[in-house]
Amino acid sequence: MKLTVQQAILSAAAQRVQGVVDKKNTIPVLSNILIETAAATQTIRLTGTNLETGLSVTIPAISCEDGAVTLPAQKLTEIVKELPDAPIELTIDEKAWATLECRKSTFHLAGLPFADFPNLPTFTDA
């Protein structure tokens, strides 16, 4: 999976979603943000939950491939917040390792499989 997104947009979304993520949890995946991409619509959805509250934010991508991964919420948010306002390229390998690149900066984050992330309830209009 590979995606490119503007730093300011990703930073704002990650900070909002991190607000509902548990920092210390007995279930490791709940400390992560689920990142899902849709190539057809060129959008990225970030989701966080603590099993009581959940938040999902959809942002536009510069480019993206279909895929999903979970990354540590706090580390991702701190890294993205400090990067310059430029496009960020995020590449995920088959073992859920993420490589985040922006200008001359490169970071590596260990992710978890998205299948472990709990589903948020869906609502329909009555």
Side-chain angles (χ1 to χ4, degrees):
M1 178 177 104
K2 189 173 188 176
L3 65 95
T4 306
V5 63
Q6 192 62 35
Q7 180 272 344
I9 295 171
L10 181 59
S11 180
Q15 287 179 34
R16 288 181 60 199
V17 173
Q18 185 193 10
V20 299
V21 174
D22 276 343
K23 287 156 187 61
K24 295 180 182 174
N25 197 307
T26 56
I27 305 171
V29 78
L30 293 180
S31 297
N32 287 8
I33 293 176
L34 173 63
I35 301 172
E36 299 172 287
T37 56
T41 57
Q42 292 295 295
T43 57
I44 303 165
R45 184 169 64 191
L46 284 74
T47 304
T49 185
N50 61 14
L51 293 181
E52 291 181 14
T53 306
L55 177 65
S56 185
V57 176
T58 302
I59 59 174
I62 296 171
S63 67
C64 67
E65 300 171 354
D66 286 330
V69 69
T70 69
L71 296 176
Q74 187 171 356
K75 287 182 183 179
L76 178 67
T77 303
E78 289 174 359
I79 290 169
V80 172
K81 184 172 66 172
E82 296 300 323
L83 291 172
D85 190 14
I88 294 173
E89 187 174 287
L90 185 66
T91 307
I92 312 298
D93 70 14
E94 63 279 348
K95 295 182 181 178
W97 274 94
T99 302
L100 192 140
E101 297 179 74
C102 182
R103 292 193 180 159
K104 295 181 181 180
S105 301
T106 302
F107 298 90
H108 299 284
L109 295 172
L112 293 173
F114 68 93
D116 297 343
F117 200 83
N119 292 325
L120 294 182
T122 56
F123 300 98
T124 58
D125 292 336

